[in-house]
């Protein structure tokens, strides 16, 4: 069983920054791609960003490209999401997920419990 624990959410003003972290419980973390997703009230969950097993490839939703950066530290079993120039529409619960392969794909098999990000205007 893999546990993913997100942290770093909170309340921030528009234009501000937050850094989310997602710590994984297993050392095999380094073999898998990781992703960040978000779900706003009344909306479906949407993809935000993903990173391959070694950090060599990243992929972003158009809505966050140029503002968010995903990274990982395979020694610390942690993936990060640096969020800059935040907008009120970025308000959501953010989830990290483990990919089912080392490469970025559409499949994710383990999910964290989520962390709330609220951006005030």
């Amino acid at each position: 069983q893999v546990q993913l624990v997100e942290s770093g959410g909170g309340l921030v003003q528009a234009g501000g920054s937050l850094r989310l972290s997602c710590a994984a419980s297993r050392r095999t973390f380094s073999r898998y791609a990781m992703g960040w997703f978000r779900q706003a009230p009344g909306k479906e969950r949407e993809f935000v960003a993903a990173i391959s097993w070694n950090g060599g490839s990243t992929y972003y939703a158009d809505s966050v490209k140029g503002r968010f950066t995903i990274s990982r530290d395979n020694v610390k079993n942690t993936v990060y999401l640096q969020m800059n120039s935040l907008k009120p529409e970025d308000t959501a619960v953010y989830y990290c997920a483990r990919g089912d392969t080392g490469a970025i794909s559409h499949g994710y098999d383990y999910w964290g419990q989520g962390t709330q990000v609220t951006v005030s205007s």
Side-chain angles (χ1 to χ4, degrees):
Q1 187 72 13
V2 176
Q3 290 188 326
L4 302 173
V5 180
E6 301 96 336
S7 61
L11 173 64
V12 64
Q13 289 188 334
S17 298
L18 281 175
R19 188 196 195 200
L20 305 184
S21 299
C22 172
S25 62
R26 297 285 295 271
R27 289 188 295 176
T28 53
F29 165 86
S30 64
R31 300 179 187 176
Y32 297 93
M34 297 293 295
W36 285 97
F37 293 76
R38 66 187 182 186
Q39 187 167 20
K43 295 186 177 181
E44 294 188 352
R45 185 174 61 196
E46 65 175 358
F47 169 80
V48 175
I51 188 166
S52 61
W53 69 277
N54 64 351
S57 297
T58 56
Y59 187 72
Y60 297 92
D62 288 343
S63 59
V64 307
K65 203 172 294 183
R67 300 187 298 122
F68 290 10
T69 302
I70 188 171
S71 61
R72 67 189 297 159
D73 184 334
N74 286 345
V75 174
K76 296 182 178 180
N77 290 351
T78 302
V79 62
Y80 305 97
L81 186 68
Q82 177 67 43
M83 306 186 295
N84 298 329
S85 302
L86 283 161
K87 305 174 181 180
E89 51 264 44
D90 293 319
T91 295
V93 177
Y94 283 71
Y95 300 89
C96 70
R98 193 190 79 167
D100 55 11
T101 70
I104 294 172
S105 70
H106 295 291
Y108 293 86
D109 51 9
Y110 290 97
W111 295 80
Q113 83 290 347
T115 186
Q116 176 71 47
V117 172
T118 303
V119 184
S120 63
S121 57

